[in-house]
Amino acid sequence: RSASPAGLFLKRKDSSGRVEKLLVQKAENISYHNFSKFSPEVNNWLKKADTWDKFDIWQFAEVANGYPLSRLMLHYVDQHNLLNRCQISRDAFINYIRALEDGYLDVPYHNNLHAADVLHATHFMLNSGTFRELCEKRPLLRLAAYFSAAAHDFKHPGTNNEFACNMQSEIAIRYNDISVLENMHVAEAFRLLRTGPKCNFLRSLDKSDHQLFRRFVISMVLNTDMAKHNDLVVKLRRNVTRRKESQSEWLDQKDEKAYLNEAEFLLDMLLHCADLANACRPRQIMKKWCRRVISEFWRQGDLERIHGLPVGPGRDRQTANVPLGQQFFNKVLVRPLYKLWKEVVPEADVALKILNENLAYWASEVEAQRKEQKKESASIKQPCKQSRATSEEGLKQKGEDSFITLHSRKKSGVGNPNKRREFVPAIHVADTI
C-alpha cells in the first residue's frame, strides 16, 4: 500500500518501491536501543495521557529519564499505529525524536518540557469529534500535527523575535525580520532529518506525501507566532459565525482542495491553542509554568538592559507586576481564543473552565496586592503628618536652621508622601505565586 497526496493509503503501482525503500532504510540503521520499553512509572502516567486535567507533565518528566517529549511522542504514535499506517521506519523515527529533544536548549520556558506539554494538548484536541474522521482517513496529518507540536520551539534561544530583530541577529537577517524564530524552528527541524544520525524517517514517503507533510507542518509552526494572534482570532470568529448561519459541519467539503485548506486552518488554530495551554492547566501546574516564563522574560530584560535596548513590558524584574500581567494576558488574549475554540472543539470546555478558575485566582492576587499597597500608603501618610507637625513647631522655636532642614527633607523625599508614592516596590515571582 502507498500514501496518497491526501494521506490516504491506497494500492498503487509504486507500493513495492516504497516497501523496498523502507526495508533499505531499516537495514541501514545500526542503532540498537530499548527506548520503546517504558518503566512501570512511565506507563502509569501514560495511562492518563489522554486526559486534560489528570496528566501532570512535570511529574511525568521526573520518571521519563530526561526524555519526556520523546517518550510521549512515541506513545501517541504507537497508540494510533501511525508508523505502520504511514510505512515509516520505527528506528529512524526514534532516532529523530531523540535527536530533536536533545536539540532543545536549556532555557527556563521554551524547552523540551514545554514542547511535551504542547504535544499533550495537541493530542487531546486531535481526539475530539471534530478531528476524528480527518485523523482516521488521513493519518499522515495526525503525524504532521504531532511533529509540529514537538518541533515548534526547536532550538529556541530563550529570547523573542523582537530581541532578535533589535540585535540584528543572524536569523533575523536570514528571515527578514518576519516570524524569525518560527521560521528557524521549522527549518532546523527539517534540516535535522538530513543531518541527524540516520534520522530521516520521511525517506519512505513519496514526493506528494512529503510535500503535503511539509505544507502542514510549516503552516502550523509559523502560525504559533503571537504577532499573528489577532488575525487568527478574527478569521476563526468569521468561520464560526459562518458555520452557525449555514448550520454546516466542520470539514464537510466535498472538494478535495477546499477540504485540505480548511483542515490546514483548523490545525493551525489547534497548535496555536495548544501553545497557550499552560494558562489552562490546573493551578499548581499553571503556576510552575508561570514561574518559568517570567524567569525567561526577566533574563531577556537583563540582556536588553546590557545591550542598551528598551526593556519590554513585563521584562523588568524590578518593576514587573506578575499577577496583573498574567491577568491581562489570560483575559485579553487566551480566554477569547478558547471561547471561540470551544465552538470548534467542544471538548476544550474542560480547559476553558480551568482557565476561568485561574483567572479568578489572578484577580484575587491583584486585589490582595492593591489592598496591600493601599495599606502601605496609609502607613506612610500617618508618620509624615506627625513629622510635618513636629517640624513646623520646630521652625517657630529654632528659626531658619529648622526651615533648611525641613526643606532638604522634602526635596530628598524624606517625609514627603507625594514623593514616596512614586516608588513602586519590586514584585518577585516567589512572593506572588
Side-chain angles (χ1 to χ4, degrees), residues 57-71:
I57 192 66
W58 294 88
Q59 294 191 35
F60 175 71
E62 291 179 2
V63 300
N65 296 325
Y67 286 96
L69 175 61
S70 304
R71 295 185 184 279

Side-chain angles (χ1 to χ4, degrees), residues 206-307:
D206 64 13
K207 184 177 179 180
S208 57
D209 280 342
H210 192 278
Q211 288 175 341
L212 183 74
F213 186 90
R214 271 184 58 84
R215 167 190 164 182
F216 272 73
V217 169
I218 291 171
S219 181
M220 280 185 271
V221 175
L222 291 186
N223 278 289
T224 60
D225 184 357
M226 282 302 296
K228 299 180 179 181
H229 175 83
N230 289 336
D231 290 340
L232 287 173
V233 170
V234 169
K235 186 175 180 180
L236 179 60
R237 183 177 292 110
R238 189 186 309 124
N239 277 269
V240 167
T241 302
R242 186 185 304 122
R243 289 290 171 185
K244 287 183 177 180
E245 291 175 349
S246 62
Q247 297 183 342
S248 57
E249 300 293 331
W250 297 100
L251 297 169
D252 63 349
Q253 294 91 337
K254 302 300 181 182
D255 179 70
E256 181 73 7
K257 183 177 180 180
Y259 183 90
L260 289 177
N261 285 342
E262 182 172 53
E264 181 179 346
F265 170 68
L266 290 178
L267 288 174
D268 289 346
M269 293 304 310
L270 184 150
L271 186 59
H272 184 54
C273 290
D275 196 21
L276 298 175
N278 62 85
C280 307
R281 299 300 188 182
R283 184 181 302 175
Q284 293 306 315
I285 298 176
M286 176 274 293
K287 287 164 71 175
K288 289 180 181 180
W289 285 124
C290 182
R291 293 187 188 101
R292 291 298 190 100
V293 73
I294 293 301
S295 175
E296 194 168 290
F297 282 170
W298 287 356
R299 287 188 181 192
Q300 178 172 327
D302 295 341
L303 289 173
E304 288 170 332
R305 186 174 287 105
I306 290 172
H307 291 285

Side-chain angles (χ1 to χ4, degrees), residues 387-399 402 406:
S387 176
R388 187 180 299 111
T390 304
S391 299
E392 289 172 352
E393 182 65 26
L395 277 175
K396 297 177 182 178
Q397 297 177 3
K398 299 182 181 180
S402 295
L406 178 62

